[in-house]
Amino acid sequence: MQQRYVGNSGLRVSALSLGTMSWANETDEQDASDILRTFVDGGGKHIDTAASYSDGGSEALIGSLLGDVVSRTEVSISTKAGTSTTDGRRSVDTSRNAMLSALDASLARLGTDYVDVWFAQAWDGNVPLEETLSALEFAVRSGRARYAGIANFNGWQSAKAAAVAGFPLVAAQAEYSLVRRTPEAELIPAVEDAGLGLMAWAPLGRGVLTGKYRGSIPADSRAARGDAAPYVEPYLQPGPSSVVEAVSMAAKGLGRTPLDVSLSWLLAQHGVATAIVGPRTPLQAKEILAAQLTQLPPEIACALEDVSQPG
């Protein structure tokens, strides 16, 4: 698998990163072990998690697998702090105290003394941006994080963060796919101008770009579960569905899978360093790792962009 530089930094990550939002929730320890081994054997290197995933359970599960399934030196790890969920309600706190306390807890759960990239997971309108950035800078200068970045900031927020920071931010995370192209308007120009690399989450449109929802909702899918259905439902509407049909048609003509076509398109876009994929099962991991990830013919890429153009 191709290893790619993140923005203007010397940090290199695999073209596909392993997202672990479902770990310790939908994905148990045995499946997580199989997924991680498949990912690394397929050339994957970067693992992405967050303190908020399964209330720290995702980080703890990763920590339990380091050393037994893969060595710490085989992978790079990013984690995030600044959000939490209590009684189903999401809260944001990127104060210096909350951020650094969260990082200490993350490192303990992961069983490592550093993470490769540490992110502020959300913009916090109640905390001065300089305070949040000071926590990121302290983590880097103290060696607890090799690099720092921002996640889920919009364009102007990202530009401001890069301008205010007294140290180089290297990465931004945002949702980006053929059914979610809004980052192209402001975010991608902002992060490219600032020298940040984009790490795109939900690159398969929360699963719809695999084509598995065409015509029906599989019983074992997130859309079939009451608690997870709202996560997928926005992309089951007529607009996104027309994009899925176009992707499926292109895949058939190319002799490739819709999954492969979607990821290949994304990885060719400006500023994208890696696509964060989140297989919930070993079978899904194998299907993702089987993707060619080669550039699409220009006429196919243009046709997909025409049908998926925002607005």
Side-chain angles (χ1 to χ4, degrees):
M1 186 185 300
Q2 183 186 27
Q3 304 296 308
R4 298 154 64 113
Y5 285 104
V6 179
N8 293 340
S9 76
L11 173 65
R12 299 179 72 193
V13 297
S14 44
L16 299 182
S17 293
L18 180 61
T20 61
M21 187 174 70
S22 68
W23 286 23
N25 183 5
E26 299 169 274
T27 303
D28 62 22
E29 183 175 3
Q30 183 57 58
D31 280 352
S33 175
D34 292 345
I35 289 168
L36 180 56
R37 189 68 258 171
T38 297
F39 177 69
V40 173
D41 288 346
K45 179 182 177 182
H46 190 72
I47 305 170
D48 181 71
T49 186
S52 60
Y53 295 171
S54 301
D55 294 326
S58 172
E59 292 177 328
L61 184 46
I62 293 169
S64 72
L65 300 178
L66 292 178
D68 292 331
V69 178
V70 297
S71 68
R72 177 65 179 91
T73 56
E74 281 186 276
V75 296
S76 55
I77 300 172
S78 60
T79 193
K80 301 176 280 291
T83 72
S84 60
T85 303
T86 304
D87 296 329
R89 299 183 63 180
R90 180 176 179 267
S91 62
V92 177
D93 183 355
T94 63
S95 65
R96 183 182 176 91
N97 179 62
M99 292 288 291
L100 293 175
S101 295
L103 178 58
D104 288 342
S106 290
L107 294 176
R109 286 188 290 263
L110 289 165
T112 183
D113 56 3
Y114 74 96
V115 290
D116 296 273
V117 195
W118 188 43
F119 289 90
Q121 194 172 3
W123 175 273
D124 188 346
N126 296 314
V127 173
L129 178 60
E130 293 82 357
E131 180 176 338
T132 302
L133 294 173
S134 75
L136 296 178
E137 182 177 17
F138 181 78
V140 172
R141 296 197 185 283
S142 65
R144 287 185 283 177
R146 297 293 190 253
Y147 297 91
I150 49 179
N152 307 309
F153 282 36
N154 63 27
W156 74 262
Q157 292 167 348
S158 300
K160 183 175 181 179
V164 169
F167 68 104
L169 297 171
V170 304
Q173 285 195 12
E175 182 176 4
Y176 186 30
S177 72
L178 273 166
V179 292
R180 177 77 174 189
R181 292 180 58 194
T182 50
E184 296 173 5
E186 295 183 357
L187 178 63
I188 291 178
V191 298
E192 279 197 295
D193 181 70
L196 280 65
L198 183 65
M199 303 175 76
W201 59 268
L204 292 171
R206 309 185 184 189
V208 303
L209 287 168
T210 64
K212 69 180 181 182
Y213 292 108
R214 295 174 71 202
S216 63
I217 296 178
D220 61 347
S221 68
R222 282 179 172 150
R225 289 175 33 210
D227 61 330
Y231 180 72
V232 181
E233 284 173 351
Y235 296 146
L236 299 179
Q237 303 304 311
S241 294
S242 67
V243 177
V244 174
E245 290 304 314
V247 168
S248 299
M249 184 179 299
K252 183 176 181 180
L254 294 170
R256 297 165 68 171
T257 64
L259 177 155
D260 184 15
V261 168
S262 300
L263 291 176
S264 297
W265 175 85
L266 181 68
L267 290 170
Q269 301 311 299
H270 286 293
V272 175
T274 185
I276 304 173
V277 294
R280 291 179 293 116
T281 67
L283 177 59
Q284 289 178 348
K286 291 176 182 177
E287 291 172 344
I288 291 171
L289 270 296
Q292 297 177 30
L293 303 181
T294 54
Q295 191 165 359
L296 301 176
E299 62 274 15
I300 297 294
C302 287
L304 293 176
E305 287 161 13
D306 286 343
V307 75
S308 64
Q309 185 66 37

